[in-house]
Amino acid sequence: MKKILIIDDHIDVRLSARIVLESHGYTCTEADHPSVGLALLKNQQIDLILLDMNFTKDTTSGEEGLGFLKELKRQELTIPVIVITAWAKVDLAVKAMQLGASDFVEKPWKNAKLLESIENQLAPENTSDHQPSSGFLALGEQSKTLVKAASRIAKTDANVLITGENGSGKSLLAQYIHDNSPRANHDMVSVNMAAIPDNLFESELFGHKKGAFTDAKENREGRFSLANDSTLFLDEIGTLPMPLQAKMLRVLETGEFEILGSSKTQTSNARIISATNADLEKAISNGEFRRDLLFRLNTLVLTILPLRERQDEIALLANHFIEKHCKRYGFEPLLLTNTALEKLKAHSWPGNVRELSHVLERAVVMTDGDSIDATHLQLELSTQHESVPLMNLEQAEKLMINNALKHFDGNVIAAGEFLGLSKSAIYRRIEKFNICVKESN
């Protein structure tokens, strides 16, 4: 039987927790202060700790709870800790998780949620060498630190906001979190918000009934329904139109929504992971994004640094992609020369890891020797902090699309991926700007 230590200065809270836990087969011991809890740990085998954050010092700072976590860390005790906190103190829970707490449960807790969290933390670890299928690469120290945080976050149901530039791997990190979560036995549901026409947003997210509007020829299930009991990944969340943000806020707060053409209220318990390359604080200042919605999305925030700020990873990533593309095309392994590596390190990588993969894929295909030299690397799109001529956004967008199409020899899909655009989005822009595409043979 697993033994749980309940640390809370309110006897009624401890009693409530004990009744629930012992009725589900756990044994419990209690402490009314972190110092008492630390003393108990010296002579009792404890499998998990439920920790309140505020005791005799005050009722808001959480210093005593944080101090307890710091002491566990100092003593190198690896007992799972679930923090019990009010929603208004979720920022305190985040600090606790940064100090090693495994999860947090809101007060007043729901028994099912508390038990689920405990079961997740006490489940046997998977000791195999299986790696998640997400493809997110963590080769440098900064990325390894990021993945370690993502692994801890994955065990919770907290909403996550992933920020970073296009091509940095936000969708791959989202998949990694899902693959390591208790919801991994369900497929993650993804939607690129930037690729949905404004008039179809509501139908895409919430679904519609046949006849709800002119082109509604049949019933359609929305993404929130599809992601029930799973994870819903909202990519490019910053493009969500203002009129729909209120409805998004409602479903995040209550889990409730209505299908278009129906008055019946539906529910979804989807765990939300969102991503953006936009400055949402600036969008809020410009009246383009709701601050209360951001508060619901960014319970936990993970930021992927651009590749130009991860110089220690360029060589490791380059060799990984060379090996990957050689295997894909059935070529013998190729070496990366020092001059080629220096050229890669000097590039500004506006397209981040995605661009690096494309550049090396092209080099692998075009190299006729046993190594990749600087002459095999086509980096003509390097920005290198050059001055950009003054132009409006439409002119800049058209120029970027033309440059990307030229760089990828007219390959529309590759150009779209490089620019962070879906297939439908890149084709819409090509049509909008009347761009002539000449794809190479």
Side-chain angles (χ1 to χ4, degrees):
M1 296 177 69
K2 298 293 186 180
K3 192 169 188 178
I4 298 176
L5 170 60
I6 306 164
I7 305 178
D8 196 295
D9 57 347
H10 290 93
I11 190 171
D12 55 333
V13 173
R14 300 199 304 272
L15 178 61
S16 176
R18 178 187 281 272
I19 291 171
V20 173
L21 298 178
E22 291 186 345
S23 68
H24 284 79
Y26 298 104
T27 61
C28 299
T29 188
E30 302 176 23
D32 60 4
H33 192 272
S35 60
V36 179
L38 287 169
L40 287 171
L41 291 175
K42 292 180 180 179
N43 52 38
Q44 294 191 35
Q45 176 62 43
I46 300 297
D47 297 293
L48 183 141
I49 300 168
L50 293 181
L51 175 67
D52 191 22
M53 297 300 289
N54 294 295
F55 295 86
T56 56
K57 187 170 185 178
D58 57 48
T59 59
T60 59
S61 72
E63 284 188 24
E64 290 160 300
L66 295 175
F68 176 84
L69 291 168
K70 290 176 183 176
E71 184 60 23
L72 285 187
K73 198 170 186 179
R74 189 189 69 79
Q75 295 185 26
E76 298 183 348
L77 297 175
T78 56
I79 304 168
V81 178
I82 298 175
V83 170
I84 306 170
T85 182
W87 172 256
K89 296 299 176 186
V90 72
D91 57 333
L92 183 59
V94 172
K95 291 180 182 177
M97 292 182 71
Q98 291 170 341
L99 286 172
S102 304
D103 196 2
F104 66 88
V105 174
E106 299 169 40
K107 280 184 176 180
W109 67 71
K110 295 181 180 178
N111 290 341
K113 169 61 180 172
L114 178 64
L115 290 166
E116 179 186 10
S117 180
I118 291 171
E119 288 168 6
N120 289 339
Q121 300 307 321
L122 293 178
E125 291 290 335
N126 183 355
T127 58
S128 73
D129 292 330
H130 172 71
Q131 292 295 320
S133 59
S134 70
F136 186 82
L137 297 171
L139 303 180
E141 289 306 313
Q142 291 169 315
S143 293
K144 287 177 181 177
T145 300
L146 178 67
V147 167
K148 186 176 180 181
S151 297
R152 184 181 300 159
I153 287 169
K155 296 181 176 66
T156 77
D157 266 341
N159 290 342
V160 183
L161 175 64
I162 303 174
T163 64
E165 296 179 0
N166 282 338
S168 58
K170 297 188 294 296
S171 62
L172 297 179
L173 186 59
Q175 187 69 57
Y176 177 89
I177 294 171
H178 173 76
D179 289 347
N180 287 271
S181 76
R183 299 169 179 251
N185 57 327
H186 299 280
D187 290 338
M188 184 175 81
V189 177
S190 300
V191 55
N192 186 338
M193 312 294 271
I196 306 174
D198 288 1
N199 61 329
L200 295 181
F201 260 111
E202 197 165 356
S203 172
E204 186 72 24
L205 294 176
F206 306 128
H208 65 248
K209 291 288 187 181
K210 181 180 179 180
F213 50 88
T214 304
D215 293 325
K217 306 297 184 185
E218 57 186 20
N219 292 341
R220 178 182 175 87
E221 192 171 8
R223 301 301 178 101
F224 272 96
S225 294
L226 290 170
N228 194 44
D229 295 330
S230 187
T231 302
L232 178 58
F233 176 51
L234 304 175
D235 199 6
E236 300 300 342
I237 187 66
T239 64
L240 184 66
M242 278 294 285
L244 199 58
Q245 289 182 26
K247 294 185 177 181
M248 177 69 78
L249 180 63
R250 178 199 173 201
V251 71
L252 293 183
E253 288 179 335
T254 67
E256 297 180 347
F257 63 95
E258 282 80 40
I259 296 173
L260 275 175
S262 171
S263 58
K264 183 179 179 181
T265 299
Q266 309 286 326
T267 60
S268 172
N269 71 349
R271 191 256 184 98
I272 305 300
I273 301 177
S274 51
T276 185
N277 64 351
D279 183 343
L280 294 184
E281 285 292 342
K282 184 176 180 180
I284 290 170
S285 298
N286 294 338
E288 299 168 350
F289 205 84
R290 295 177 60 126
R291 183 171 294 280
D292 49 2
L293 177 56
L294 178 59
F295 285 153
R296 280 293 175 181
L297 294 169
N298 71 348
T299 301
L300 297 167
V301 179
L302 295 173
T303 299
I304 305 177
L305 294 177
L307 184 56
R308 61 182 172 275
E309 295 181 20
R310 292 185 278 149
Q311 285 284 311
D312 63 320
E313 292 191 58
I314 291 177
L316 298 169
L317 287 168
N319 284 305
H320 167 83
F321 286 129
I322 291 170
E323 180 182 358
K324 172 185 173 182
H325 296 313
C326 283
K327 287 181 179 179
R328 176 183 176 186
Y329 292 108
F331 296 157
E332 291 296 317
L334 294 170
L335 296 175
L336 184 69
T337 67
N338 289 333
T339 55
L341 179 57
E342 290 306 312
K343 187 173 181 179
L344 292 176
K345 288 184 174 181
H347 188 60
S348 62
W349 299 112
N352 289 291
V353 178
R354 183 187 293 138
E355 182 189 3
L356 177 62
S357 177
H358 286 313
V359 165
L360 291 171
E361 181 178 9
R362 180 194 293 266
V364 165
V365 172
M366 299 304 294
T367 300
D368 56 4
D370 58 2
S371 62
I372 294 175
D373 199 2
T375 57
H376 300 124
L377 302 174
Q378 299 184 26
L379 300 175
E380 64 270 15
L381 288 184
S382 175
T383 54
Q384 293 296 315
H385 307 291
E386 296 168 358
S387 61
V388 178
L390 184 65
M391 62 182 76
N392 61 39
L393 288 176
E394 285 202 351
Q395 290 171 329
E397 188 175 22
K398 183 177 180 180
L399 177 62
M400 290 173 67
I401 292 171
N402 272 317
N403 283 343
L405 287 168
K406 180 182 176 183
H407 181 72
F408 294 105
D409 293 333
N411 187 324
V412 175
I413 305 303
E417 288 180 351
F418 170 75
L419 295 170
L421 299 173
S422 66
K423 181 179 178 180
S424 59
I426 184 71
Y427 274 111
R428 282 205 309 271
R429 284 163 173 78
I430 287 172
E431 182 180 358
K432 173 184 176 182
F433 296 123
N434 195 25
I435 296 172
C436 180
V437 178
K438 295 180 180 179
E439 191 160 350
S440 62
N441 295 324

